[in-house]
Each structure stands twice: as structure tokens, then as C-alpha cells.
């Protein structure tokens, strides 16, 4: 009998409904345990480590791990809510559960599961039969690597002895790394005891105590790399994507700092740039390598590529989507031709001070939800997956133009824009306002919108302050 595959699509992100439907399919298939395949800690939908909330994988979360059905369904729920982990879930009889890119679930196996499909439709899900899951393991691109067997560890020992030390990268699930610094061959037994089953290993040159050289490399920011640092106690904590600001001198809490016992290094992230000294995959206990780590580009990979292509000063287009009260608005960036528009979703952020040179009362006047905008890139934050934008950067600074053509003593025409207890604000030109202290208001009473004549007393371009005296 040909396998049956269904795609379950909720009307909205109804994770509970999808999970309940998946349970029905599993029970109809007689499945009470599932096997984890190609797990990720984070990194399928988003590579950011600052997305919240984040639900960790269960204990023993690794490729090939067998988990109870309830644990697998908890993972399914977390994947639908995009709370961190992602994996495929399979059973020995061919039953599977996959989560796609748009909150859809692919479920299938060796039988039709007509009862479960009918129940899913009654619960409000769209259920359609499809030829196969787009996440079918048969469609995987894989990077076949040799086994990390006895010969592998013999070579690791030789490298450590010849170089005085090496750094072992353990990618125990997708999007997550652990680091083991090996300075002597007799430490290999301890390192091997700490490794996760089926992990991918890469051996790199040792970390260096030349922190200034690392700082200089981060400032150059020639490629996308992980900053790996050893603390004074010998531990290697969580790594971060290296960005130039981390190497700036004068930070209150330096990200890259020298000190006794401190070492650092940079590890390339782009697959084409990764050239370790040695690489391998941990075999199972019987010596057979069963892990087949997929190398297909994920939505997170494509978002990172998009972010990595942007530089300060670039001009981008996008659509305003949501606002944060008086803080700013989120913008879906246009990712360019032949790229899924989802890759730019929510990447842009336009703060209120960067919306206009002119005063405005309501964000909806300048950047209402749904408006198409053209903006300049101020900063790209890879860790937070955020691009800071500016609308006003695309236009000349009116204050500088005003300062070129006006001097103290000039008499100007203006319009009253705001009344405050200590004085009157007057619009002198588009984007330029001055303030007349109440002692310079000639004893008159003003209303917003009044036209006035004013004398320019003083102008501070850096502080953007103009002092006025209103004529009687």
C-alpha cells in the first residue's frame, strides 16, 4: 500500500488544535513512541538567540533519540509556536510528523488514517492529501563526513601534541555548539565522555591569548564568524556572532577583553568558509554512522544571508506592519527578487526619532500600518535579527540648511506650534523650530497656529536649539 501523507493547515496559529489532531493520527497508527531526527535547538525559523520565549529540547534531545508520544507532541507544539526547538519525528513503521514553514503540519504513514483526517477537519483544520512532505528525508541534501572513530581520535591526539592544543567544536544539534579545548592527548577520554550521541565534530586551531589580534579581526568584520572566548576559569561559555561593535574600545563592559587565562578565536559560520583541521560524525555504539545531517538551507539561513548582505547606508524598501506605541514600528523588508518575502518579515525597525525631521503628533501620520516605505539602513544587528531604519536620513538635515542661511539678529516669520508654561515654540521652516522664553514673548497671549514675527537670539546647531524673541 502506498504511503498516505496529509497536510494540516490551521486558519490561524492554533497550535493546540494541530497537536490534538496529530495525537489522533498517532493513536490511529498505533504509535506511542517517536524518534527524533535532525534536531535543532534553534535555527530553523530563526537563528537569533534572543527570541523569547525559548523552550529547550527535552533531556536526551539528540538525533536518533526515542521519546514518548507526549514528549514528541510537546516538541510539535513548540515548533508550531516557534519557541525554539525544531526536529522531524518518525516512528519505525513509517509514521511521521513534520512542521513546515507556515504553521502547517505534515503527517503520514503506511495507511490512510481516514478517521483521524475526518476528525481534524471537524476541528477546523484544512486537511488535504499531498504526494509527500517537503521535509521528507529522501529530499535532504547531506554533507557526508567520515566517522569520528578510533582513527579520528588518534589524529586529534597527534594534532594536539604537534600544535600544543586544538579546539573541538561539537554541534550536538542544529544551531547549537559546545566547545572543548584539548591541550594534551590524555584529555581525550574526558572530552569523549561529554559528547552527545551522533554529534558532528570539527577540530580547529587552538584559541589564542593574542586578544588584540582577535579584536582587530572582529573590527574588520570580513566574514560571518562566531566569537569563541575562554574565561579565566578555563570555561568556554555561550558564543556570539562576531560584530564590529564588540571590539570597540571604551565599552563599559568590553565584550573582548584580555586577562590572565583568557583566550579567544573566530570560527567561520558560512559552510563554504569552514575548513577545519579535521571533521567527523560520532558513530553509534556499534560503530555505524547513522546520522544524516541535512544541509538544506533553512528559513533561518536565508534570513541570515539577507541580513549579512545589508550595510549601513543601504537604501531598502518595505511595508510597515506593527507598532510599539511611542517607540517605533516594525517593517517587513523586501528581500529582493527570487527570494521568499517571508525572509524579510519583521526584520526592519523604524524608531520614532528617525521618522521625520518635522514634528508630528501621531505615528500614523508618518508610518501607518500598511504603508510602503523607502528607508536608509542605520545598523544591522545580527543577533537580534533587526535592521534599524531611518526615513529622515534620506532627506537633507533642515537644521544644517537653516544654519547656513541664518544668523543671530535675523528677523523671521513663523507659526506657533506649541504652548508650554515656560514659553512658546515656533516653526521657522520645515523641520526647524525655535523657542521663545516667556520673558521674550512681549507680554502677548498666543494660540497654536498664530503667525508671528521673531528675532533670532541664538542658535546651537549641535544641541538643535534656537532661542527667539517675539516681536510685539
Amino acid at each position: 500500500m502506498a504511503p498516505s501523507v496529509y497536510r494540516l493547515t490551521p486558519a490561524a496559529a492554533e497550535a493546540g488544535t494541530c497537536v490534538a489532531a496529530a495525537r489522533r493520527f498517532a493513536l490511529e497508527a498505533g504509535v506511542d513512541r517517536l524518534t527524533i531526527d535532525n534536531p535543532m535547538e534553534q535555527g530553523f525559523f530563526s537563528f537569533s538567540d534572543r527570541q523569547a520565549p525559548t523552550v529547550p529540547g527535552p533531556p536526551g534531545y539528540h538525533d536518533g533519540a526515542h521519546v514518548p508520544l507526549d514528549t514528541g507532541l510537546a516538541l510539535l507544539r513548540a515548533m508550531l509556536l516557534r519557541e525554539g526547538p525544531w526536529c522531524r519525528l518518525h516512528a519505525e513503521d513509517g509514521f511521521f510528523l513534520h512542521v513546515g514553514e507556515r504553521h502547517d503540519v505534515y503527517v503520514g504513514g503506511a495507511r490512510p488514517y481516514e478517521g483521524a483526517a475526518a476528525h481534524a477537519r471537524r476541528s477546523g483544520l484544512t486537511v488535504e492529501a499531498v504526494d509527500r512532505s517537503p521535509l521528507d528525508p529522501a529530499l535532504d541534501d547531506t554533507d557526508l563526513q567520515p566517522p569520528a572513530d578510533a582513527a579520528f581520535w588518534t589524529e586529534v591526539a597527534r594534532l594536539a601534541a604537534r600544535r600544543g592544543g586544538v579546539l573541538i567544536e561539537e554541534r550536538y544539534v542544529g544551531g547549537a555548539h559546545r566547545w572543548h579545548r584539548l591541550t594534551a592527548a590524555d584529555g581525550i577520554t574526558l572530552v569523549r565522555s561529554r559528547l552527545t550521541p551522533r554529534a558532528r565534530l570539527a577540530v580547529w586551531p587552538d584559541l589564542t591569548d593574542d586578544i588584540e589580534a582577535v579584536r582587530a579581526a572582529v573590527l574588520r568584520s570580513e566574514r560571518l564568524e562566531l566569537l569563541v572566548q575562554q574565561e579565566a576559569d578555563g570555561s568556554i561559555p555561550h558564543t556570539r556572532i562576531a560584530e564590529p561593535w564588540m571590539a570597540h574600545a571604551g565599552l563599559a563592559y568590553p565584550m573582548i577583553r584580555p586577562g590572565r587565562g583568557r583566550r579567544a578565536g573566530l570560527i567561520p559560520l558560512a559552510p563554504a568558509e569552514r575548513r577545519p583541521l579535521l571533521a567527523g560524525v560520532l558513530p553509534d555504539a556499534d560503530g555505524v554512522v547513522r546520522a544524516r545531517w541535512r544541509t538544506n538551507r533553512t528559513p533561518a539561513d536565508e534570513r541570515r544571508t539577507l541580513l549579512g548582505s545589508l550595510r549601513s547606508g543601504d537604501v531598502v524598501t518595505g511595508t510597515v506592519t506593527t507598532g510599539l506605541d511611542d517607540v517605533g514600528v516594525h517593517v517587513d523588508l523586501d528581500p529582493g527578487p527570487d527570494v521568499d518575502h517571508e525572509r524579510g518579515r519583521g526584520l526592519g525597525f523604524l524608531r520614532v526619532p528617525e521618522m521625520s525631521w518635522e514634528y508630528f503628533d501621531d505615528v500614523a501620520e508618518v508610518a501607518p500600518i500598511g504603508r510602503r516605505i523607502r528607508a536608509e539602513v542605520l545598523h544591522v544587528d545580527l543577533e537580534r535579527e533587526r535592521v534599524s531604519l531611518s526615513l529622515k536620513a534620506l532627506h537633507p538635515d533642515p537644521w544644517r540648511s537653516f544654519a547656513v542661511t541664518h544668523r543671530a539678529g535675523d528677523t523671521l516669520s513663523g507659526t506657533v506650534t506649541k504652548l508650554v508654561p515656560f514659553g512658546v515654540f515656533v516653526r521657522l521652516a520645515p523641520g526647524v523650530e525655535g523657542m521663545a522664553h516667556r520673558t521674550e514673548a512681549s507680554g502677548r497671549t498666543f494660540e497654536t497656529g498664530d503667525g508671528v514675527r521673531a528675532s533670532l537670539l541664538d542658535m546651537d546647531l549641535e544641541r538643535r536649539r534656537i532661542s527667539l524673541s517675539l516681536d510685539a
Side-chain angles (χ1 to χ4, degrees), residues 316-333 344-356 360 362-376 378-379 385-392:
V316 295
T317 57
T319 304
V320 177
T321 54
T322 57
L324 288 174
D325 299 325
D326 296 329
V327 180
V329 295
H330 292 284
V331 179
D332 288 353
L333 297 183
R345 184 175 295 278
L347 287 183
F349 192 74
L350 174 63
R351 294 187 178 276
V352 169
E354 295 296 332
M355 290 184 179
S356 176
F360 55 90
D362 189 346
V363 169
E365 297 176 28
V366 183
I369 293 175
R371 173 167 290 180
R372 297 279 301 161
I373 66 169
R374 182 171 176 268
E376 182 174 307
L378 296 180
H379 175 67
E385 292 184 12
R386 175 175 290 181
V387 181
S388 297
L389 303 173
S390 175
L391 290 179
K392 69 182 189 182

Side-chain angles (χ1 to χ4, degrees), residues 55-403:
V55 177
Y61 181 63
H62 62 80
D63 187 74
H66 303 295
V67 297
L69 176 61
D70 284 347
T71 301
L73 293 175
L75 281 168
L76 181 69
R77 179 184 180 86
M79 285 186 268
L80 287 167
L81 295 176
R82 302 194 178 184
E83 291 181 337
W86 183 90
C87 64
R88 294 181 296 209
L89 297 163
H90 297 160
E92 290 185 359
D93 67 349
F95 179 82
F96 66 83
L97 291 169
H98 299 160
V99 175
E101 294 187 30
R102 294 175 174 81
H103 301 285
D104 44 1
V105 175
Y106 293 86
V107 56
R111 59 178 88 171
Y113 309 117
E114 294 176 354
H119 180 271
R121 291 188 181 96
R122 290 195 298 271
S123 68
L125 298 175
T126 299
V127 181
E128 57 181 320
V130 295
D131 291 336
R132 71 193 310 175
S133 164
L135 295 162
D136 187 332
L139 300 176
D140 284 357
D141 295 325
T142 56
D143 180 16
L144 296 179
Q145 294 185 359
D149 54 13
F152 174 92
W153 291 107
T154 297
E155 180 61 14
V156 170
R158 189 187 69 82
L159 288 169
R162 181 164 62 87
R163 292 171 166 266
V166 292
L167 181 68
I168 299 176
E169 175 190 11
E170 176 196 1
R171 288 192 286 169
Y172 56 100
V173 294
H177 311 251
R178 276 196 286 260
W179 306 89
H180 311 272
R181 184 165 175 254
L182 186 66
T183 57
D186 57 8
I188 285 180
T189 300
L190 179 60
V191 169
R192 293 183 68 175
S193 70
R194 294 173 174 173
L195 299 176
T196 303
R198 299 190 179 182
R200 289 162 291 179
L201 306 179
V203 182
W204 299 95
D206 196 10
L207 300 177
T208 177
D209 58 5
D210 187 352
I211 302 300
E212 289 307 315
V214 175
R215 194 197 306 272
V218 172
L219 278 172
R220 289 195 301 270
S221 188
E222 295 174 340
R223 56 186 180 180
L224 199 60
E225 296 174 302
L226 279 176
L227 172 63
V228 183
Q229 297 190 91
Q230 176 182 281
E231 298 295 336
D233 62 2
S235 64
I236 302 177
H238 177 64
T239 54
R240 302 182 68 171
I241 296 175
E243 297 190 61
W245 68 265
M246 297 178 180
H248 288 166
L251 292 176
Y253 300 97
M255 289 296 304
I256 308 172
R257 58 191 188 278
R260 185 179 178 85
R262 295 188 181 278
R263 304 176 72 89
L266 295 168
I267 304 298
L269 277 173
E273 296 173 346
R274 288 176 56 86
R275 297 181 181 86
L277 304 172
L278 191 65
V281 176
L282 285 178
D284 289 349
D286 59 4
V288 177
V289 175
R290 294 186 175 85
R292 291 292 182 268
W293 290 102
R294 68 194 303 265
T295 58
N296 307 56
R297 287 178 63 79
T298 67
D301 293 326
E302 294 176 3
R303 282 171 70 87
R304 183 157 59 191
T305 298
L306 173 59
L307 282 169
S309 70
L310 297 175
R311 297 290 183 271
S312 297
D314 287 352
V315 177
V316 295
T317 57
T319 304
V320 177
T321 54
T322 57
L324 288 174
D325 299 325
D326 296 329
V327 180
V329 295
H330 292 284
V331 179
D332 288 353
L333 297 183
D334 298 334
D338 303 322
V339 181
D340 191 327
H341 76 279
E342 289 284 332
R343 304 302 175 251
R345 184 175 295 278
L347 287 183
F349 192 74
L350 174 63
R351 294 187 178 276
V352 169
E354 295 296 332
M355 290 184 179
S356 176
W357 290 110
E358 296 195 54
Y359 174 81
F360 55 90
D361 290 314
D362 189 346
V363 169
E365 297 176 28
V366 183
I369 293 175
R371 173 167 290 180
R372 297 279 301 161
I373 66 169
R374 182 171 176 268
E376 182 174 307
V377 173
L378 296 180
H379 175 67
V380 179
D381 188 329
L382 285 166
E383 282 200 317
R384 291 179 174 85
E385 292 184 12
R386 175 175 290 181
V387 181
S388 297
L389 303 173
S390 175
L391 290 179
K392 69 182 189 182
L394 295 180
H395 305 281
D397 182 349
W399 278 78
R400 296 195 177 276
S401 300
F402 187 88

